[in-house]
Amino acid sequence: MKKLFSLIILTVIITSCGGDSKSVESIIETNDLDKIREKRSEIISEQTEIHLKLNQIDAAITKLDTLKNFPLVTAFQVKQTHFNHFLELQGSVATKKNIILYPEFSGLLTTINVEEGQQVTKGKILGTIDDGGLSQQLAQMEVQLNLAKTTYERQNRLWEQKIGSEIEYLQAKANYEGMQNAVNQMQSQVAKTAIRAPFSGIIDDVITDQGTVVSAGMTQIIRLVNLDEMYIKAEVPESYLSSISKGKIVEIFFPVLGESHTAEVSQVSNYINPGNRTFSIMINIPNKNKNIKPNLTAKVKINDYSSADAILIPQSIISENAMGEQYIYITKKNGESDEATASKVMIKTGRTQGDFVEITEGVSNGDIIVNEGARSVKDGQSVIILNVDNNE
């Protein structure tokens, strides 16, 4: 309607100019500068008058037109909500009791007493190594020890009765104690020929076969694993050092197992890796069913920030200007109709979670923000709100 009236006015202007074209041409043909200037001033005056009338007509159209061409948008009302932000990391499962047993004695591996997958208790002999005759030497030394003990006890009784010389008593005592130390040392050597379980667990791998010659501290014999005390280790960027502490609640998910667990941060490292600027954390994880294995991948979510009255909005409605400033549009209704005025508001954002971002400055509880159609709105422009979501 408004465009139609404007076209009519322009047609009148063009027609009037066309009807006066001959007089303009005749004045130009006179080559009289004063008359030409006078005609120009006359036309400018008519043009100014026409524009003034056109503006009056446009104002009347705007006032009377009920079918205004305003942008159609949807909006939502901001509601303060409880916000928990989670830092997502990838961790790896480990156990403090996952070791490879090495022999303490060099020689022939004479026996392997266990099989892979076997449950063993602490102290159980898992294998033995040929002692090279140490057992026989120990037996002879024990005979000599018994003799030295008997001699010492006899000399001790005599000395208590003031019979014999002191030197005989002291020699018997020194001989007995020396033999005792020698036997203890030999027993320690012989004990090293037995490979024992340092803790209860499962034989995960028998690495060396029976009959192999092994070297002390060099040959891998058996891998022993205990799945009771499992933990997850993850690397955290140093920027989160102040927000991650011992006792923080952690959500753990094992993609392979399809299992979720809730635990706490049990240890925070005091060392920052200079190579990747991270610090490590440990999370103890229960393993009653023994289905969590070492080196299993885990997704870790740590609650590093919480707010009881946060304002969250979709990231998709946030725009950015050439200066890098972020802004949105807040609407204010014009009366009882669906018509409203959109105003550009500069904002500051905080942490993000999924498709939403926390607004720290620029938006208040109860504000109505343009959602769909936000990209086509301008500051101060009137819009028609099709729907307002109250987020209830």
Side-chain angles (χ1 to χ4, degrees):
M1 193 72 170
K2 180 177 180 181
K3 292 181 178 180
L4 179 60
F5 277 105
S6 299
L7 289 173
I8 293 173
I9 297 299
L10 288 174
T11 303
V12 172
I13 294 172
I14 294 171
T15 303
S16 62
C17 291
D20 195 38
S21 61
K22 290 184 179 180
S23 60
V24 171
E25 290 175 359
S26 62
I27 291 173
I28 294 174
E29 289 175 356
T30 62
N31 292 324
D32 188 335
L33 183 59
D34 292 335
K35 289 184 178 181
I36 293 174
R37 286 177 173 173
E38 183 181 351
K39 188 62 178 177
R40 183 180 183 281
S41 298
E42 181 183 339
I43 292 174
I44 290 175
S45 179
E46 292 174 355
Q47 186 181 20
T48 301
E49 185 179 353
I50 290 172
H51 277 296
L52 181 59
K53 292 179 180 179
L54 186 60
N55 289 338
Q56 292 176 344
I57 292 174
D58 286 343
I61 292 172
T62 301
K63 184 177 180 180
L64 298 174
D65 186 12
T66 57
L67 301 175
K68 299 174 183 177
N69 189 24
F70 291 159
L72 304 179
V73 300
T74 63
F76 65 92
Q77 188 174 27
V78 172
K79 297 288 186 182
Q80 290 179 333
T81 184
H82 189 84
F83 175 48
N84 288 322
H85 180 267
F86 290 90
L87 172 64
E88 298 186 6
L89 304 167
Q90 180 169 300
S92 180
V93 177
T95 175
K96 295 180 180 179
K97 294 183 177 180
N98 177 15
I99 64 171
I100 293 177
L101 300 179
Y102 291 83
E104 296 182 87
F105 193 85
S106 298
L108 181 68
L109 184 62
T110 55
T111 61
I112 290 289
N113 304 326
V114 292
E115 298 178 349
E116 294 179 358
Q118 181 178 338
Q119 183 81 35
V120 297
T121 58
K122 180 179 179 180
K124 178 179 175 60
I125 297 178
L126 310 179
T128 56
I129 301 171
D130 181 34
D131 60 18
L134 292 182
S135 298
Q136 289 81 358
Q137 295 181 36
L138 176 60
Q140 293 176 2
M141 294 174 66
E142 287 175 341
V143 171
Q144 295 175 1
L145 175 62
N146 290 332
L147 177 60
K149 181 181 179 182
T150 300
T151 303
Y152 166 69
E153 289 174 348
R154 181 175 299 176
Q155 288 294 334
N156 185 47
R157 288 194 298 270
L158 292 173
W159 178 247
E160 288 177 349
Q161 297 174 13
K162 305 299 180 180
I163 302 174
S165 65
E166 183 180 2
I167 190 65
E168 291 177 342
Y169 163 73
L170 294 176
Q171 286 177 343
K173 180 180 179 182
N175 186 44
Y176 169 64
E177 291 177 348
M179 286 301 303
Q180 182 68 64
N181 291 334
V183 168
N184 291 342
Q185 185 177 4
M186 183 59 70
Q187 288 175 340
S188 177
Q189 286 294 106
V190 173
K192 292 180 179 179
T193 63
I195 302 171
R196 297 177 182 271
F199 53 81
S200 299
I202 299 173
I203 303 299
D204 189 65
D205 188 12
V206 177
I207 303 171
T208 302
D209 295 329
Q210 180 176 315
T212 305
V213 176
V214 298
S215 300
M218 299 291 292
T219 307
Q220 298 182 356
I221 305 296
I222 292 171
R223 177 181 289 277
L224 179 63
V225 179
N226 186 304
L227 300 180
D228 292 332
E229 299 180 16
M230 307 294 288
Y231 68 93
I232 297 172
K233 186 175 183 179
E235 301 297 324
V236 184
E238 65 175 342
S239 57
Y240 293 93
L241 185 61
S242 61
S243 55
I244 303 298
S245 59
K246 183 178 179 180
K248 277 283 186 178
I249 300 299
V250 181
E251 295 180 9
I252 302 167
F253 177 68
F254 298 102
V256 174
L257 303 177
E259 293 183 6
S260 296
H261 298 268
T262 300
E264 294 182 355
V265 175
S266 56
Q267 181 178 339
V268 178
S269 172
N270 294 312
Y271 172 76
I272 296 178
N273 188 332
N276 55 14
R277 309 307 304 175
T278 63
F279 63 95
S280 61
I281 60 172
M282 287 177 53
I283 306 157
N284 292 330
I285 184 74
N287 191 23
K288 295 181 180 179
N289 298 326
K290 303 295 188 297
N291 56 348
I292 301 175
K293 310 296 183 182
N295 300 315
L296 186 66
T297 299
K299 291 185 177 180
V300 178
K301 294 173 63 177
I302 305 176
N303 178 209
D304 64 312
Y305 169 77
S306 296
S307 176
D309 52 0
I311 293 177
L312 304 178
I313 68 171
Q315 297 187 64
S316 58
I317 69 171
I318 299 177
S319 300
E320 190 172 295
N321 60 22
M323 302 296 293
E325 299 172 322
Q326 295 178 313
Y327 63 89
I328 58 173
Y329 288 98
I330 293 178
T331 63
K332 185 176 182 181
K333 281 199 171 187
N334 301 330
E336 298 296 327
S337 66
D338 292 332
E339 182 182 337
T341 301
S343 301
K344 180 192 289 187
V345 175
M346 296 298 177
I347 61 172
K348 289 187 178 181
T349 58
R351 291 172 171 83
T352 61
Q353 192 72 54
D355 297 330
F356 291 84
V357 60
E358 182 188 19
I359 304 301
T360 57
E361 289 185 22
V363 178
S364 301
N365 188 41
D367 286 346
I368 298 177
I369 300 177
V370 176
N371 188 4
E372 296 181 13
R375 302 295 182 183
S376 60
V377 175
K378 297 180 180 180
D379 186 27
Q381 185 178 21
S382 294
V383 297
I384 299 297
I385 301 178
L386 297 178
N387 178 55
V388 177
D389 186 357
N390 293 322
N391 291 329
E392 295 180 346

